[in-house]
Amino acid sequence: TQQQQQDQSKSCWGLDDACFCALAQAAPNITSFSIRNIGLSTEGINYDILELIACWGNLKELCFTNFSPTKFGGGVGWNASQATPVFESNVDRIVKRSLDGNGTILRCISQHCPNLETINFSNSSLTDDSFRSIFTAFPNLTKLYLNDCCGLSTNPFVTNPNKSNRQIQSLQLSKLQLSSSSILSVLNSYCTLPQFLDFSDCRSINDSVLKEIAKGAKNLKYLNLRQCLSVSDDGLVTLLKECKDLEELNLDCLMISDLTLTAIQTSCHKTQSTW
């Protein structure tokens, strides 16, 4: 059956060449594609997934989660030496391909899918260069999910990038151990008027970051600061006073006082869920 608008391929162990080729031919106008825990069978490793992405110029949403070199090849027991590569690829290129490496995947995605609005690379492998390029390569990006990505340093932004007109409205950086200066660079340049922020388990989130968020908090509807142990009442009160439209707030495991609770009661009148 032709599926023109959306395809959800989750936990894709065992997909082979025929599956991917049929998908590319049958649904050229897909706008949303999700593939998780990617690992192709030994019969299917010859297919270059970038050939699939290159067919989808209308793609608006892309999800590659749990995408890493060890999983791009059939999972446990997969033997790269038994593979017979096709196209111009070689086994090393297939095995090493992740969201980091030489940036091949990101370059292909940005070239063939320039209209992406939502990217989810959570639980995948990223280098600092790949992290930076995500913010600069997609002019229409409004939702970015990079939860628990490995391979990043604490300072992927060595210097502050230039100001950008691109506005990311929904940003998830849960469990990323970025420095507060790097998070401030992202907020200042690409996310000045956020609606949805998830910084759970980011230990570098501190009062300075919260006060920066407060400058553009008028549209903020969801905020997750679970286990952000470096924040205090000072930053929280400053932020919450500006969150007139906040609907959901997670302060789980934080040491807060009545000052923060009072700020929630007096300023966040639309808040329906707090924990």
Side-chain angles (χ1 to χ4, degrees):
T1 302
Q2 186 171 2
Q3 186 175 5
Q4 294 284 42
Q5 294 302 318
Q6 183 174 12
D7 179 78
Q8 298 289 333
S9 300
K10 302 177 182 179
S11 300
C12 301
W13 302 107
L15 286 182
D16 58 15
D17 287 358
C19 294
F20 281 120
C21 288
L23 180 60
Q25 294 173 7
N29 296 319
I30 278 178
T31 59
S32 178
F33 183 65
S34 174
I35 187 164
R36 306 176 184 180
N37 300 323
I38 184 170
L40 310 181
S41 68
T42 53
E43 292 80 17
I45 59 169
N46 297 333
Y47 190 86
D48 191 335
I49 196 170
L50 299 193
E51 300 290 334
L52 183 65
I53 295 297
C55 296
W56 290 337
N58 296 322
L59 206 62
K60 298 292 182 63
E61 300 179 12
L62 178 63
C63 174
F64 277 174
T65 57
N66 294 304
F67 194 100
S68 66
T70 57
K71 290 179 180 177
F72 194 83
V76 178
W78 181 73
N79 187 348
S81 64
Q82 298 176 356
T84 305
V86 295
F87 304 108
E88 75 282 9
S89 305
N90 55 51
V91 174
D92 287 339
R93 199 179 109 194
I94 294 176
V95 173
K96 292 178 182 177
R97 259 194 185 151
S98 63
L99 293 171
D100 56 2
N102 58 12
T104 304
I105 285 181
L106 281 175
R107 283 200 300 271
C108 178
I109 294 172
S110 62
Q111 177 182 354
H112 296 285
C113 309
N115 299 316
L116 276 175
E117 298 173 358
T118 300
I119 291 177
N120 186 348
F121 290 157
S122 296
N123 303 104
S124 297
S125 176
L126 286 175
T127 62
D128 290 358
D129 286 341
S130 297
F131 182 82
R132 288 190 291 270
S133 67
I134 289 172
F135 289 94
T136 58
F138 302 99
N140 299 321
L141 190 63
T142 59
K143 297 179 181 179
L144 178 61
Y145 309 129
L146 299 177
N147 300 316
D148 202 15
C149 288
C150 62
L152 292 172
S153 72
T154 58
N155 291 292
F157 282 133
V158 179
T159 58
N160 286 352
N162 295 326
K163 288 287 185 180
S164 170
N165 292 325
R166 301 171 186 176
Q167 281 300 319
I168 297 174
Q169 298 171 1
S170 183
L171 180 66
Q172 293 187 22
L173 301 178
S174 176
K175 296 184 179 180
L176 291 193
Q177 301 310 312
L178 303 178
S179 67
S180 57
S181 60
S182 285
I183 293 175
L184 284 170
S185 293
V186 171
L187 293 171
N188 287 332
S189 299
Y190 302 104
C191 193
T192 57
L193 294 171
Q195 295 182 9
F196 184 110
L197 291 175
D198 185 350
F199 293 133
S200 56
D201 295 284
C202 291
R203 303 304 171 88
S204 63
I205 296 293
N206 54 29
D207 290 342
S208 296
V209 175
L210 297 189
K211 290 177 180 179
E212 189 63 34
I213 296 173
K215 296 177 182 178
K218 63 180 182 179
N219 296 328
L220 192 62
K221 299 183 183 302
Y222 176 96
L223 178 63
N224 190 342
L225 298 175
R226 179 183 181 276
Q227 297 247 17
C228 294
L229 304 181
S230 298
V231 305
S232 70
D233 286 318
D234 180 37
L236 286 167
V237 170
T238 301
L239 172 60
L240 293 171
K241 286 181 178 179
E242 304 300 326
C243 295
K244 308 300 182 183
D245 288 333
L246 192 65
E247 297 176 359
E248 294 188 45
L249 175 65
N250 189 337
L251 302 178
D252 191 23
C253 300
L254 301 191
M255 298 293 292
I256 59 175
S257 73
D258 289 344
L259 293 173
T260 295
L261 296 177
T262 300
I264 296 173
Q265 293 174 346
T266 58
S267 301
C268 306
H269 301 297
K270 295 183 180 180
T271 303
Q272 302 172 358
S273 178
T274 304
W275 64 96

